[in-house]
Amino acid sequence: TDPLVKLNMQWINSANGYVIYMESLFFFIIAIALAYAVGCWGSTRKIGFGWAFGLSLINLFIGIIAVLCSKKIEKNEDNVES
């Protein structure tokens, strides 16, 4: 085969690997951001941020269901010092 064609095919294959890597990184960042959002939502409930975030990292839907099943934190206005 022609050396230029072989060199061109190697460059295309390496560029394709770079695109796949960037696509995976993009979806990983989206997954972390969604898990963070569920964790922030969980911080207003009994489950707390840590458990909601951790469960969402495992599976987003499990984290959402756990937050939905958790009771809301009651705000006691009697204990507020001024």
Side-chain angles (χ1 to χ4, degrees):
T1 61
D2 186 20
L4 289 176
V5 172
K6 188 175 182 181
L7 181 64
N8 192 20
M9 290 304 294
Q10 287 176 349
W11 182 82
I12 289 172
N13 288 337
S14 66
N16 190 22
Y18 179 73
V19 170
I20 291 172
Y21 170 76
M22 292 301 290
E23 183 178 321
S24 298
L25 183 63
F26 174 75
F27 285 119
F28 180 73
I29 291 171
I30 295 295
I32 297 293
L34 288 173
Y36 180 78
V38 173
C40 288
W41 184 27
S43 67
T44 63
R45 297 181 176 252
K46 298 265 183 182
I47 192 171
F49 176 85
W51 279 105
F53 180 72
L55 288 173
S56 296
L57 283 177
I58 295 170
N59 188 324
L60 186 65
F61 295 113
I62 292 174
I64 290 172
I65 290 170
V67 169
L68 285 173
C69 292
S70 180
K71 294 181 181 179
K72 290 184 179 180
I73 296 176
E74 298 175 8
K75 294 184 179 182
N76 293 336
E77 295 181 9
D78 300 335
N79 295 338
V80 176
E81 297 179 16
S82 49

